[in-house]
Amino acid sequence: MQHIALRYFQEVAETGSITKAATRLNVSASAVSRQIIKLEENLSATLFERHPRGMVLSQAGQQLARHVSRIALETEMALTEIRNFQAADHGHIRLASYEGYAIETLSQAVARFREKHPKVTVHAWVGNSEDICARVLAGKADIGITYSHSSPPGLTIQLVEVRPIYALIPRDNPLARRASVSLEDLRGQDFAFPDNSRSQRKLIETALAARGFNLNRVFSTNSMAMLKTVSCMTGCVMFSTSVRGQMHGITQTHAEVAVEDEVFSGSVLQVVTMAGRQLPQPVRNFLASAFGITEPLA
């Protein structure tokens, strides 16, 4: 298989279109199409499902895409190491995280890491867990931090950490003085909720469905930062993983109270990387610095 065929395949996989891939490659669409057909013939496998709206990777195509991404990343790593062979600590790290973790916990980890590794640059992308996994699988992120999300094939789980969901209750509310509350105790309170794009919302809905009732949702958003701000300003109750020791204004207005619920107590954070990929040294250094990871779980 020629390198050019794999390059064309990668562009079609990323764009979902032969025409768009041809534009990015500055070649004709027919040239791209021929290479894809030739690659499929060589492999005796269908790599794409052809639809009116574009090209969708088949199961075989997904497997090849992961392999091609690993090759590209390891080639990039080798070239970078050759360029910087005289430098002990250069490089670039790409992170992908859900917002609730990124706002302060990951930010603090980046700040600590940069103190010891000032020549390493860092980029952080914030989104939902499904998109985080997709970015790691596509080689667009070195490390992914997801929340209560089942990792798809092609990822290595570096760490699983239980992160219970707490109720953040205004301090002038009698419930704020309790060590724990049940979901039933919170009925009748005004709530600020994450919207349906957030993993936490799905957990909340699962827990409420098991109880057979809803809570009084008066505000929702896909931004965890805005969720905390509105809760501070309006006195709404909200759910969040631990905020102890963090600098959010909500720690001044709201108390963190444990929720007596199996779904809430069993929520987890996962740190994931691309399976089978040899991670660059700066990425391994960050995993050790931020999470204490020296060996992956799986």
Side-chain angles (χ1 to χ4, degrees), residues 41-142:
E41 290 174 349
N42 287 337
L43 292 171
S44 298
T46 300
L47 299 176
F48 292 97
E49 297 173 3
R50 277 74 169 174
H51 298 286
R53 293 186 177 181
M55 307 279 281
V56 178
L57 285 169
S58 66
Q59 187 173 359
Q62 292 173 11
Q63 184 175 355
L64 180 60
R66 289 195 292 269
H67 178 71
V68 171
S69 292
R70 282 197 297 270
I71 292 173
L73 288 168
E74 289 174 5
T75 300
E76 179 184 343
M77 180 180 73
L79 294 174
T80 300
E81 289 178 351
I82 290 169
R83 293 190 193 101
N84 299 323
F85 73 96
Q86 292 180 319
D89 195 11
H90 284 71
H92 182 64
I93 300 170
R94 299 164 302 171
L95 308 173
S97 173
Y98 66 94
E99 186 183 9
Y101 188 80
I103 290 172
E104 288 203 6
T105 307
L106 185 59
S107 298
Q108 291 172 1
V110 170
R112 290 193 302 269
F113 180 81
R114 288 274 303 135
E115 287 180 1
K116 294 183 178 181
H117 306 274
K119 295 181 180 179
V120 177
T121 58
V122 181
H123 175 264
W125 181 90
V126 174
N128 64 42
S129 294
E130 183 177 354
D131 290 340
I132 290 165
C133 290
R135 290 184 73 85
V136 176
L137 284 170
K140 295 180 179 179
D142 302 305

Side-chain angles (χ1 to χ4, degrees), residues 176-191:
R177 295 191 288 273
R178 294 176 53 170
S180 64
V181 292
S182 67
L183 289 174
E184 286 85 351
D185 293 330
L186 296 170
R187 296 177 73 171
Q189 304 293 324
D190 287 343
F191 271 85

Side-chain angles (χ1 to χ4, degrees), residues 242-261:
S242 179
V243 295
R244 293 174 184 170
Q246 298 187 17
M247 302 301 292
H248 292 303
I250 201 165
T251 58
Q252 304 300 315
T253 61
H254 287 55
E256 181 182 283
V257 181
V259 180
E260 300 163 2
D261 186 270

Side-chain angles (χ1 to χ4, degrees), residues 233-297:
M233 292 180 172
T234 64
C236 284
V237 179
M238 65 168 286
F239 295 116
S240 178
T241 53
S242 179
V243 295
R244 293 174 184 170
Q246 298 187 17
M247 302 301 292
H248 292 303
I250 201 165
T251 58
Q252 304 300 315
T253 61
H254 287 55
E256 181 182 283
V257 181
V259 180
E260 300 163 2
D261 186 270
E262 291 182 359
V263 174
F264 280 35
S265 62
S267 62
V268 297
L269 166 152
Q270 287 190 343
V271 178
V272 298
T273 57
M274 182 188 289
R277 179 189 173 196
Q278 182 182 355
L279 297 174
Q281 188 61 49
V283 175
R284 296 199 298 272
N285 289 345
F286 188 87
L287 287 171
S289 172
F291 306 105
I293 297 171
T294 55
E295 294 292 336
L297 290 179

